[in-house]
């Protein structure tokens, strides 16, 4: 698929997800209306406010102090700090449009919705939406931190909190965005000579998928183990403005968190570990199919595809955790979905590394010659 054809659905998707997130942020005002608790229970209202806060352009008074970094401004209402908050949100919405546009342009071009690729195109675009949201809140976080009036205080932990704040709203907005983007892409691809599915030798493809999955497992199994994760978070005790990078590293390195079965029943422990195995299985299967889905196995396409595979595996594990979660009766039904979108920074870190490792393994193991495939 040519760039000229791919840019149309990418633009449509970028505009749609930006509008959906802007609309979601504007809806925070509605949750402050009297009588809202007669529709939702108080716990669900509080959870919805937390979801929407990172995308709230005009922050209500309740969110101006004591809330998440991603939705805070100075409690005193200083014009200077309010302007910083407005600037941060402008950067955030422009960034989410740009990041989604760039990723969707690459994905739609390399995995066009033809020749049986439509489900794969839909899934990778859906997975890319939380990544674009995470990158957007990351680049806009310094302005939001400064808008609190004490930007030099615990800046790295504050940045870590902002990075983790994009929330489940990007997952839900991303699903609708992916559907619309694929529909537009199917229209724009008509009349173009479809590239056939490429044949990839099974052994190199399996080996590349195994190497890429091992990279993801490093985060999920090794770094996310409780004692290792605690060491990562507490090993930095130096003073100064840039102290305590452990919180920031935790966001970008840990896909989960687990410990031995001593802290819970063996049955529950095995159930949660089975969910982690499913995450790795989804990643392996996606990486196994990815070289055959791409019109050309380039390094950027494999890296972005591996990121999407990791996010899909993470989302699958979070949905399974929702099925075995019993906190809905305590915190409200909305709380069940609160884990969606968590771990995306680490999925981005190790997804890129997994994609690079997979494409290197594929080439060394005798996979198809990337230079010989047109497109």
């Amino acid at each position: 698929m040519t760039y000229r054809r791919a840019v149309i659905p990418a633009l449509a998707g970028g505009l749609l997800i930006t509008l959906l997130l802007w609309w979601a942020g504007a809806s925070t005002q509605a949750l402050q209306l009297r009588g809202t608790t007669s529709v939702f229970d108080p716990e669900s209202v509080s959870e919805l406010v937390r979801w929407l806060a990172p995308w709230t352009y005009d922050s209500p008074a309740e969110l101006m102090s004591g809330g998440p970094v991603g939705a805070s401004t100075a409690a005193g209402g200083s014009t200077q700090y309010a302007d910083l908050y407005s600037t941060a949100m402008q950067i955030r919405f422009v960034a989410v449009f740009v990041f989604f546009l760039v990723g969707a342009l690459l994905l739609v071009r390399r995995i066009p919705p033809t020749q049986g690729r439509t489900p794969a195109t839909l899934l990778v675009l859906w997975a890319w939406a939380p990544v674009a949201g995470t990158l957007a809140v990351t680049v806009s976080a310094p302005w939001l931190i400064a808008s609190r009036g004490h930007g030099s205080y615990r800046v790295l932990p504050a940045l870590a909190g902002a990075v983790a704040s994009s929330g489940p709203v990007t997952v839900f907005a991303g699903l609708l965005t992916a559907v619309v983007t694929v529909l537009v892409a199917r229209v724009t691809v008509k009349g173009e000579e479809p590239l056939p599915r490429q044949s990839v030798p099974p052994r190199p493809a399996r080996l590349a998928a195994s190497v890429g999955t091992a990279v993801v497992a490093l985060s999920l199994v090794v770094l996310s183990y409780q004692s290792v994760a605690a060491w990562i978070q507490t090993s930095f005790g130096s003073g100064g403005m840039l102290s305590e990078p452990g919180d920031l590293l935790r966001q970008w390195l840990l896909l989960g968190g687990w410990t031995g079965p001593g802290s819970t029943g063996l049955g529950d422990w095995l159930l949660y570990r089975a969910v982690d195995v499913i995450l790795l299985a989804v990643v392996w299967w996606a990486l196994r199919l990815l070289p055959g889905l791409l019109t050309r196995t380039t390094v950027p396409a494999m890296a972005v595809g591996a990121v999407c595979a990791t996010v899909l595996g993470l989302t699958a594990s979070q949905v399974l955790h929702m099925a075995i979660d019993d906190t809905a009766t305590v915190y409200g039904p909305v709380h069940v979905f609160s884990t969606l979108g968590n771990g995306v920074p680490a999925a981005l870190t190790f997804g890129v590394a997994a994609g690079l490792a997979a494409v290197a393994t594929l080439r060394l193991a005798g996979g198809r010659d990337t230079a010989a495939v047109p497109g």
Side-chain angles (χ1 to χ4, degrees):
M1 192 174 186
T2 63
Y3 277 118
R4 182 175 58 86
R5 292 177 182 269
V7 73
I8 298 174
L11 276 172
L15 288 172
L16 179 60
I17 193 171
T18 305
L19 290 174
L20 286 174
L21 292 175
W22 178 86
W23 172 78
S27 300
T28 310
Q29 297 283 358
L31 295 173
Q32 310 297 325
L33 297 176
R34 184 176 301 175
T36 302
T37 53
S38 64
V39 180
F40 302 102
D41 57 272
E43 292 80 8
S44 295
V45 171
S46 177
E47 188 69 20
L48 287 171
V49 169
R50 186 183 69 83
W51 287 12
L52 303 179
W55 306 100
T56 303
Y57 194 87
D58 296 318
S59 182
E62 291 81 0
L63 297 177
M64 286 188 176
S65 63
V69 174
S72 299
T73 188
S78 168
T79 302
Q80 178 184 3
Y81 297 146
D83 289 344
L84 281 172
Y85 183 85
S86 298
T87 301
M89 298 312 297
Q90 292 168 8
I91 294 172
R92 179 163 297 187
F93 283 109
V94 171
V96 76
F97 169 77
V98 171
F99 283 124
F100 187 87
L101 171 66
V102 172
L105 182 61
L106 177 63
L107 291 169
V108 171
R109 184 168 186 254
R110 293 303 180 197
I111 312 179
T114 58
Q115 299 293 324
R117 297 186 180 98
T118 301
T121 310
L122 178 65
L123 288 174
V124 296
L125 288 172
W126 181 28
W128 182 250
V131 177
T134 295
L135 292 173
V137 299
T138 301
V139 299
S140 61
W143 286 266
L144 285 179
I145 294 171
S147 72
R148 301 182 68 181
H150 44 79
S152 63
Y153 175 69
R154 291 177 56 84
V155 61
L156 293 183
L159 181 58
V163 167
S165 68
S166 60
V169 66
T170 56
V171 179
F172 295 118
L175 181 57
L176 178 59
T177 301
V179 171
V180 172
T181 305
V182 168
L183 291 176
V184 175
R186 287 186 64 86
V187 173
T188 59
V189 80
K190 288 182 178 179
E192 187 177 60
E193 185 68 22
L195 291 173
R197 294 281 295 271
Q198 299 296 320
S199 177
V200 181
R203 183 178 176 277
R206 287 195 296 265
L207 183 59
S210 299
V211 172
T213 305
V215 174
V216 176
L218 174 65
S219 171
L220 183 65
V221 178
V222 179
L223 300 182
S224 294
Y225 187 64
Q226 189 178 64
S227 59
V228 180
W231 178 84
I232 291 173
Q233 190 167 1
T234 60
S235 293
F236 303 90
S238 60
M241 185 176 64
L242 298 180
S243 63
E244 302 178 0
D247 287 340
L248 189 60
L249 286 176
R250 174 173 53 85
Q251 294 296 334
W252 291 95
L253 296 180
L254 306 187
L255 275 172
W258 66 284
T259 184
S263 61
T264 184
L266 180 60
D268 291 338
W269 184 86
L270 291 174
L271 185 60
Y272 276 89
R273 299 291 70 76
V275 172
D276 292 339
V277 172
I278 291 173
L279 188 160
L280 295 176
V282 171
V283 172
W284 186 91
W285 186 249
L287 291 178
R288 166 66 179 84
L289 297 178
L290 184 60
L293 292 169
L294 294 170
T295 58
R296 186 178 181 187
T297 315
T298 61
V299 172
M302 283 293 291
V304 174
V307 169
C308 294
T310 309
V311 174
L312 286 174
L314 193 62
T315 304
S317 70
Q318 290 165 351
V319 171
L320 292 173
H321 277 299
M322 288 160 44
I324 60 179
D325 190 5
D326 59 354
T327 60
T329 56
V330 179
Y331 299 105
V334 177
H335 180 76
V336 175
F337 300 94
S338 61
T339 59
L340 288 177
N342 291 346
V344 173
L348 176 61
T349 302
F350 286 91
V352 170
L356 297 177
V359 72
T361 303
L362 189 65
R363 292 177 177 179
L364 291 173
R368 62 191 173 106
D369 185 4
T370 60
V373 182

